[in-house]
């Protein structure tokens, strides 16, 4: 494909998007005879060569099972795998690698925590979520509530798409046991002011979980500065491989929680009389883990670290600003989610058009967006729409691509006129 | 069903607008814009759908948009008449094409119609995402189920 070295572009202080795009081979193709414009990064991001190469190299040179230790390949695989855990620890600024648990993704991480906190919950307890949560941060709590008699309570959202802080203040009370909030809304792009909310919750002894799935592709979270008990994200939205995600959890709570699944790796000693659990983080990692995927995720994080973060964020903000400026060129177009703090995610509707019409006809023009309810049906209900069209940008998108999106939308409107 | 017999019989799709009309038209459509403009126009021929029929029983699952489908089996002619509605414009057009091919046929004839071949002929699936293709298949599947029931 390309022989570009991925870790050597630190020499250029400017953010050269054309050079960066060459790191993502999938972007250089045509769809329906048009150059691909990939604006569905919120659903899953594309992978740089660094990730592809790291996984390829892992399988070619070092694959074996991990933590078995009897031979050299096993050592190599374990070193790569545990090295990846350290990369993630550093990325999150977690105090220790024993607090970094591999999961299949954000969804499994939340299920793990919900399940693990079940013994603490009883009838009358409240789990505070918000109206803008992804189903993955609603349904696992509903399931645990069903088992324990606790209740799931949503914090309201303002029409602009921000968390309603008055609602938060009125709902956080002595019955609240868990606060589970998204860092960034997958539909609205809103960056929630989670730090003060976590602080408020902690004062009342409430356990806090932050869904970072939509945040980490845009900025680095610092779990110590945030002070949350749990922080979860998926690799595939962070330019890494599918099938792996991360649960950061405070050791004290992880120690207390029961294992999520039983099997190999998670045990210390098994007998039919008594089985004891392995230490953290392995207690929560039953079975052979996704080793190559962990290596791939670490490569993605290292790749991102090689970029100029400030320049990257500025470039993303420029994409969103350009998109916002062009909204008025499409009559009847309305943005859903106009929070002051946003990542470059733009949900919208166009009067008279169903989101699926928009998605289909953009695809004809080589433009990939997401349409539908975005696994956030309560939020769709709140806005009274069956779904939205969503363009979600990544740092490898160009201003020209933003313009193509709007040219495409104008064309669709003419077609339906 | 809640719609009157007339509403079913007056559906132009499959009666006034025939499969030949659609196939002829498609031959002259070169690019996606013309093709979709034509599909959108076809969708405008869908007769009004009775509001009271928008119930779970008539809902077609598996589509990204909301799709409803009702039928009337005409004892006199032995033919099956269909009404479809959707809140998405392109889906309405695709439903119209399905109706052009399947509406107003005897259940036996309907079941003998190879709709996949038709879509192949119209080169439709190639331009339609798998997600939407699934929605089309869901619609056709529901119609075939109805025909199979009425054919007994």
């Amino acid at each position: 494909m390309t022989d570009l070295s991925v870790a050597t572009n630190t020499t250029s202080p400017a953010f050269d998007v054309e050079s960066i795009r060459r790191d993502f081979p999938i972007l250089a193709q045509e769809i329906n005879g048009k150059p691909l414009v990939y604006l569905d990064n919120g659903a899953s991001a594309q992978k740089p060569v660094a990730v592809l190469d790291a996984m390829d190299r892992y399988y070619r040179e070092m694959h074996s099972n991990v933590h078995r230790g009897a031979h050299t390949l096993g050592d190599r695989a374990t070193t790569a795998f545990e090295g990846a855990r350290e990369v993630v620890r550093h990325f999150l600024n977690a105090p220790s690698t024993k607090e970094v648990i591999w999961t299949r993704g954000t969804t499994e991480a939340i299920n793990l925590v919900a399940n693990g906190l079940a013994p603490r919950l009883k009838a009358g307890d409240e789990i505070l979520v918000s109206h803008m949560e992804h189903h993955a941060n609603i349904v696992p709590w509903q399931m645990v509530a069903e088992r324990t008699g606790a209740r799931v309570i949503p914090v309201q959202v303002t029409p602009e798409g921000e968390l309603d802080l008055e609602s938060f203040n009125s709902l956080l009370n002595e019955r609240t046991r868990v606060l589970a909030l998204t860092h960034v809304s997958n539909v609205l792009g809103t960056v929630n002011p989670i730090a003060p909310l976590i602080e408020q919750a902690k004062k009342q002894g409430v356990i806090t979980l932050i869904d970072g799935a939509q945040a980490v592709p845009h900025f680095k979270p610092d779990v110590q500065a945030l002070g949350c008990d749990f922080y979860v994200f998926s690799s595939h939205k962070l330019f890494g491989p599918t099938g792996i995600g991360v649960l950061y959890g405070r050791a004290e709570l992880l120690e207390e929680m029961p294992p999520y699944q039983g099997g190999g790796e998670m045990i210390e000693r098994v007998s039919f009389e008594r089985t004891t659990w392995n230490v953290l983080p392995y207690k929560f990692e039953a079975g052979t883990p996704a080793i190559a995927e962990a290596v791939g995720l670490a490569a993605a994080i290292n790749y991102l670290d090689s970029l100029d973060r400030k320049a990257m964020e500025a470039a993303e903000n420029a994409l969103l600003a350009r998109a916002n400026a062009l909204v008025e060129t499409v009559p009847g177009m309305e943005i859903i989610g106009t929070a002051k703090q946003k990542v470059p995610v733009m949900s919208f509707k166009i009067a008279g058009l169903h989101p699926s019409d928009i998605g289909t006809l953009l695809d004809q023009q080589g433009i990939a967006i997401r349409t539908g309810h975005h696994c956030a049906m309560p939020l769709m209900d709140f806005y009274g729409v069956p779904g939205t069209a969503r363009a979600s940008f990544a740092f490898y998108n160009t201003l020209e691509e933003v313009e193509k999106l709007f040219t495409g939308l104008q064309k669709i409107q003419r077609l339906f006129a | 069903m809640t719609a009157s017999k007339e509403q079913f019989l007056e559906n132009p799709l499959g009666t006034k607008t025939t499969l030949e009309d659609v196939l002829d038209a498609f031959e002259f459509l070169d690019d996606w814009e013309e093709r979709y403009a034509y599909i959108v126009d076809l969708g405008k021929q869908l007769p009004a759908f009775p509001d009271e029929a928008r119930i779970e029983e008539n809902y077609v699952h598996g589509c990204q948009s909301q799709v409803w489908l009702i039928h009337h089996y005409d004892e006199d002619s032995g033919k099956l008449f269909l009404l479809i509605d959707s809140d998405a414009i392109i889906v309405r057009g695709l439903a119209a094409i399905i109706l052009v091919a399947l509406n107003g046929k005897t259940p036996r004839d309907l079941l003998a119609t190879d709709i996949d071949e038709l879509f192949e002929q119209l080169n439709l699936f190639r331009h339609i995402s798998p997600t939407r293709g699934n929605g089309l298949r869901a619609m056709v599947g529901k119609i075939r189920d109805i025909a199979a029931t009425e054919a007994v």
Side-chain angles (χ1 to χ4, degrees):
Chain A
M1 215 67 206
T2 160
D3 58 359
L4 284 162
S5 168
V6 289
T8 53
N9 48 6
T10 45
T11 45
S12 160
F15 191 77
D16 179 1
V17 70
E18 286 310 324
S19 137
I20 278 172
R21 287 178 72 81
R22 287 195 288 274
D23 296 339
F24 294 80
I26 201 171
L27 297 177
Q29 63 177 303
E30 293 198 338
I31 300 287
N32 291 321
K34 314 276 174 11
L36 166 66
V37 176
Y38 188 76
L39 305 181
D40 195 17
N41 298 287
S44 200
Q46 302 300 350
K47 320 306 173 199
V49 174
V51 170
L52 309 180
D53 284 352
M55 295 177 75
D56 185 70
R57 189 171 157 240
Y58 167 77
Y59 275 127
R60 285 177 192 277
E61 296 173 16
M62 53 191 106
H63 174 66
S64 177
N65 214 327
V66 290
H67 308 134
R68 300 294 184 270
H71 52 76
T72 306
L73 278 186
D75 286 343
R76 278 189 202 162
T78 304
T79 303
F81 180 68
E82 292 303 328
R85 202 188 300 271
E86 167 57 23
V87 169
V88 171
R89 183 207 65 74
H90 184 259
F91 175 72
L92 294 173
N93 191 29
S96 160
T97 49
K98 70 179 187 177
E99 297 175 307
V100 176
I101 317 275
W102 300 118
T103 65
R104 281 192 297 138
T106 303
T107 299
E108 188 181 61
I110 297 173
N111 275 279
L112 190 161
V113 174
N115 195 70
L117 294 179
R120 280 178 169 251
L121 296 171
K122 57 178 192 316
D125 286 349
E126 291 177 0
I127 299 160
L128 210 51
V129 298
S130 86
H131 225 87
M132 67 167 87
E133 299 307 314
H134 187 284
H135 295 163
N137 201 22
I138 299 174
V139 182
W141 300 112
Q142 288 177 325
M143 289 164 72
V144 76
E146 181 108 323
R147 268 163 57 196
T148 57
R151 292 197 307 151
V152 178
I153 312 274
V155 174
Q156 296 309 301
V157 171
T158 67
E160 294 75 31
E162 296 182 332
L163 273 184
D164 182 336
L165 297 180
E166 271 181 38
S167 165
F168 176 84
N169 288 329
S170 70
L171 293 172
L172 181 73
N173 61 42
E174 66 284 353
R175 292 183 299 277
T176 311
R177 294 289 168 270
V178 179
L179 171 67
L181 273 188
T182 192
H183 201 164
V184 169
S185 159
N186 68 319
V187 176
L188 309 165
T190 309
V191 182
N192 287 319
I194 56 169
L197 305 185
I198 292 167
E199 195 183 342
Q200 233 176 304
K202 267 170 66 174
K203 275 188 195 142
Q204 305 212 20
V206 172
I207 294 173
T208 52
L209 174 140
I210 302 302
D211 171 357
Q214 295 290 338
V216 291
H218 303 290
F219 53 85
K220 267 176 145 171
D222 179 333
V223 295
Q224 294 192 63
L226 290 172
C228 56
D229 294 305
F230 300 99
Y231 195 97
V232 299
F233 71 89
S234 296
S235 153
H236 73 100
K237 293 190 203 291
L238 186 59
F239 314 95
T242 57
I244 192 165
V246 170
L247 161 64
Y248 155 77
R250 260 198 323 113
E252 189 191 336
L253 280 164
L254 291 173
E255 295 285 6
E256 171 204 305
M257 280 160 48
Y260 182 51
Q261 291 181 326
E265 188 82 19
M266 52 75 68
I267 45 81
E268 178 194 52
R269 184 177 153 67
V270 175
S271 75
F272 285 102
E273 288 71 43
R274 185 179 140 79
T275 292
T276 51
W277 315 135
N278 202 341
V279 293
L280 289 175
Y282 311 112
K283 173 178 144 183
F284 292 104
E285 295 179 357
T288 294
I291 309 165
E293 286 73 14
V295 170
L297 170 56
I301 292 173
N302 286 334
Y303 171 79
L304 291 170
D305 280 348
S306 77
L307 302 177
D308 179 343
R309 276 272 176 184
K310 276 222 169 75
M312 185 174 126
E313 282 174 31
E316 289 188 358
N317 288 337
L319 294 172
L320 186 63
R322 186 84 188 113
N324 283 330
L326 288 172
V327 170
E328 62 176 25
T329 65
V330 181
M333 179 169 176
E334 191 188 324
I335 301 295
I336 295 176
T338 51
K340 284 185 272 306
Q341 289 292 318
K342 273 185 76 166
V343 298
V345 166
M346 190 179 72
S347 258
F348 60 96
K349 58 180 181 178
I350 298 179
L353 292 184
H354 192 278
S356 81
D357 291 326
I358 299 170
T360 303
L361 295 180
L362 284 178
D363 182 53
Q364 290 298 318
Q365 305 174 65
I367 303 168
I369 62 156
R370 169 90 186 259
T371 64
H373 54 64
H374 314 291
C375 296
M377 287 184 182
L379 192 63
M380 298 297 112
D381 292 343
F382 174 73
Y383 283 106
V385 291
T388 72
R390 181 190 69 184
S392 50
F393 306 96
F395 59 87
Y396 49 59
N397 287 125
T398 65
L399 291 169
E400 192 195 346
E401 286 181 314
V402 176
E403 278 151 24
K404 277 185 182 167
L405 167 68
F406 282 88
T407 311
L409 292 173
Q410 289 158 8
K411 202 171 232 181
I412 291 169
Q413 255 195 341
R414 285 201 298 274
L415 200 68
F416 285 127
Chain B
M1 288 296 151
T2 39
S4 75
K5 183 179 163 182
E6 284 67 36
Q7 275 176 286
F8 281 99
L9 297 185
E10 279 163 14
N11 188 350
L13 298 160
T15 53
K16 286 190 199 71
T17 307
T18 66
L19 189 53
E20 283 70 42
D21 295 338
V22 174
L23 290 172
D24 284 352
F26 257 76
E27 261 188 56
F28 294 99
L29 304 174
D30 296 325
D31 59 12
W32 70 269
E33 284 173 71
E34 290 182 2
R35 201 186 308 263
Y36 275 99
Y38 178 70
I39 292 174
V40 167
D41 274 347
L42 270 183
K44 291 176 183 161
Q45 293 190 27
L46 288 177
F49 194 89
D51 275 339
E52 62 275 19
R54 291 174 214 273
I55 54 173
E56 169 61 26
E57 189 190 336
N58 301 325
Y59 193 80
V60 183
H61 291 271
C63 305
Q64 229 197 58
S65 54
Q66 295 184 303
V67 178
W68 290 272
L69 191 161
I70 53 175
H71 71 280
H72 166 70
Y73 179 65
D74 188 46
E75 301 277 354
D76 303 337
S77 60
K79 287 177 179 171
L80 189 60
F81 293 88
L82 304 153
L83 289 178
I84 304 183
D85 195 21
S86 171
D87 55 351
I89 297 171
I90 293 169
V91 176
R92 289 174 64 85
L94 296 174
I97 293 176
I98 290 176
L99 288 180
V100 159
L102 301 180
N103 188 40
K105 286 190 163 170
T106 66
R108 199 175 293 271
D109 282 351
L110 191 158
L111 290 170
T113 307
D114 187 346
I115 198 91
D116 281 348
E117 193 192 279
L118 170 66
F119 284 138
E120 200 69 35
Q121 241 176 313
L122 295 175
N123 214 348
L124 266 180
F125 274 134
R126 218 189 70 203
H127 295 276
I128 287 169
S129 68
T131 324
R132 187 172 302 281
N134 290 341
L136 277 181
R137 288 189 187 90
M139 270 190 258
V140 173
K142 186 147 181 164
I143 293 172
R144 289 180 67 89
D145 286 349
I146 292 167
T149 312
E150 296 292 354
V152 176

